[in-house]
Amino acid sequence: MKFLAICGSLRKKSTNMGLLRYAQTHAPEGVEFTIADISNIPFYNADITEKPAAVLALIEQIAAADALVFGCPEYNYSVAPALKNALDWASRELGNAALKGKPAAIMGAGGGMGTSRAQYHLRQICVYLDLHPLNQPEVFANAFSASFDADSNLIDNKIQENIVSQLVALANWTKQLQK
């Protein structure tokens, strides 16, 4: 089973990337977990008629994945532009072919509410894109707490356990949707 993670933060020391790195190294047995690089994807513009190489690479990764995992930061109470932009590009495939019907999990690190508002906005986007987000367990982390070390690596045992539980649930959800 292949999971593709997309991080909405482009910062080198992103705590959202820290969540995804932890998930990558603790994915369930039998799950290949890859983190996409969206740092070179230009802003979506319908005037760009030929998809840039970075966009084509992302679309290929999404198409090959069985499920998606989103590292969802919160910017101004909503989804970070980098994540939304990546989804906007992917959604332009004929018939929404890359995204349609894929299961997805969402995790995020942010301020006091740990990206809860952005995650709920992302769920609304998932509805339009015909993605099937996992309902439980949810993963919220306070990016400004002792849950992360100086290099933004996740060190909080409770959140680590929650991520592992979410990945196991996503694997089961993916199997269920593939029937």
Side-chain angles (χ1 to χ4, degrees), residues 145-165:
S145 69
S147 297
F148 298 89
D149 67 16
D151 293 318
S152 299
N153 295 306
L154 180 64
I155 57 174
D156 182 282
N157 290 336
K158 183 178 176 190
I159 299 169
Q160 290 172 342
E161 290 171 10
N162 204 16
I163 287 173
V164 170
S165 295

Side-chain angles (χ1 to χ4, degrees), residues 92-129:
R92 296 313 189 266
E93 285 298 285
L94 186 61
N96 191 32
L99 296 168
K100 187 176 185 177
K102 288 203 188 290
I106 304 169
M107 58 182 70
M113 294 177 64
T115 78
S116 60
R117 292 171 287 233
Q119 288 192 35
Y120 293 127
H121 283 184
L122 182 54
R123 287 177 180 278
Q124 292 170 329
I125 294 165
C126 287
V127 169
Y128 181 79
L129 298 177

